[in-house]
Amino acid sequence: MQISGSSAVVVGGAGGLGEATVRRLHAAGAKVVVADLADEKGKALEQELGVRYVRTDATDEDDVLAALAEAESAGPLRISVDAHGGPASGGRLVGKDGSPLDLAGFRKTIDVYLTGVFNVLRLAAAAIARQEPLDGGRGVVVNTASIAAYEGQIGQLPYAAAKGGVVSMTLVAARDLSPLGIRVVTIAPGTFNTPAYGKAGDQLEAYWGPQIPYPRRMGMPTEYAGLVQHIVENDYLNGEVVRLDGALRFPPK
C-alpha cells in the first residue's frame, strides 16, 4: 500500500513510539493526525511538522471519532496506528500480607490497554471501510501489544492480560475485516528506551541491555516506526503479531 497521499491517525502519537511513527509516516508523504492527551507535545509536533493534533482519549468514542474525522478531512484514511499508553496497576496476585490483587486497578488497566485498543480498532476500521479501494485494499490497522503478553513478569498480571487480549484480537479482526480489504497487524515490542524515561533511561539501559541477545541494547523508537512503515507497505502482512525484541524473553522478574 502506498503511504504518500494517504491519511493516517496515530493514537498515542505524542509518545515515544507514537512520535517516531508520526515522523516516519509524515516523511513518507502521509497526512498525519496525532491523537493523544499530551497537549504540549502534540501541539509542538503540529507546529514543527505541519501535522494535525486532536486531543484524544483512546477509551472515549467521541474523542476517537473526532480524530478520525480530522484524518478523513485531510485525505483518504488508510492507516491507523495505536501506540497509546496510560496507567497500569500491578502487584502479586496475593500479596505478602495475604491480600488479593486490587480489582479496580485490574479493571482500569484492562480499560486503558485492551478496551482502548478495541475502541480505536473498531472505529478506525469502520472509517477505513468508507474509503475507495486502492489496488483491491482499503488500508491497515496496526496495534501495539508487548512481549509481556507471552512472558508477563511477576507483578504484571493486569498488563499482561490486557496485552494478551490485544494479541488474541489480531487474527480474528483480520479475518473479520478481510472482505473489506483491511489488514490488521500487531507489534509486540520488548524493552524500548523512550524519552518518557528521562534520566532513568540510562539505568534501564544498563539493566536490560546485557539481557538482550542481540543487539545488546534496548530498542529505539525509530525501529518501531520502521516496522510500522514496512507493515503498511507490505500487503501480505496480515493477521500477524510481530515481536520486536532483539530475541529477549522476559525472566520471571
Side-chain angles (χ1 to χ4, degrees):
M1 194 188 83
Q2 184 174 329
I3 295 176
S4 181
S6 296
S7 181
V9 61
V10 181
V11 181
L17 302 180
E19 179 185 344
T21 301
V22 167
R23 293 181 180 278
R24 185 86 178 211
L25 294 176
H26 172 72
K31 300 170 184 177
V32 185
V33 168
V34 178
D36 207 309
L37 290 171
D39 292 340
E40 186 175 344
K41 291 182 178 179
K43 290 176 182 177
L45 280 172
E46 190 174 53
Q47 287 190 329
E48 178 190 351
L49 301 177
V51 297
R52 306 183 186 193
Y53 171 69
V54 178
R55 182 174 174 81
T56 307
D57 179 344
T59 65
D60 186 277
E61 180 172 356
D62 290 339
D63 279 10
V64 175
L65 286 174
L68 293 169
E70 184 70 21
E72 282 192 273
S73 72
L77 175 59
R78 302 196 183 279
I79 304 164
S80 172
V81 181
D82 190 350
H84 78 267
S89 67
R92 289 178 181 262
L93 191 57
V94 177
K96 292 181 180 180
D97 61 356
S99 61
L101 189 60
D102 179 55
L103 180 59
F106 179 86
R107 284 176 170 159
K108 178 62 177 177
T109 302
I110 294 295
D111 190 44
V112 172
Y113 284 98
L114 178 56
T115 306
V117 174
F118 170 72
N119 190 43
V120 173
L121 170 62
R122 71 187 185 94
L123 297 174
I128 295 171
R130 292 192 288 268
Q131 313 308 313
E132 289 296 319
L134 185 64
D135 297 327
R138 286 187 167 86
V140 58
V141 178
V142 180
N143 291 325
T144 307
S146 165
I147 64 171
Y150 303 99
E151 306 109 25
Q153 296 184 290
I154 291 170
Q156 277 191 323
L157 194 152
Y159 182 75
K163 293 300 188 177
V166 176
V167 167
S168 294
M169 287 196 299
T170 305
L171 180 59
V172 184
R175 288 171 166 172
D176 280 354
L177 297 173
S178 60
L180 299 170
I182 301 172
R183 296 181 290 120
V184 180
V185 178
T186 294
I187 299 174
T191 55
F192 274 68
N193 199 339
T194 67
Y197 291 127
K199 294 181 180 179
D202 292 338
Q203 296 176 325
L204 288 169
E205 183 67 52
Y207 176 78
W208 282 112
Q211 299 186 56
I212 299 167
Y214 185 81
R216 298 183 83 80
R217 59 169 174 78
M218 295 174 71
M220 297 182 292
T222 52
E223 292 169 317
Y224 172 95
L227 180 54
V228 170
Q229 180 171 356
H230 179 74
I231 289 169
V232 173
E233 293 177 332
N234 189 334
D235 287 342
Y236 213 63
L237 267 174
N238 190 20
E240 186 58 87
V241 180
V242 183
R243 293 183 64 128
L244 188 64
D245 57 21
L248 174 66
R249 297 298 180 266
F250 275 150
K253 60 182 179 180

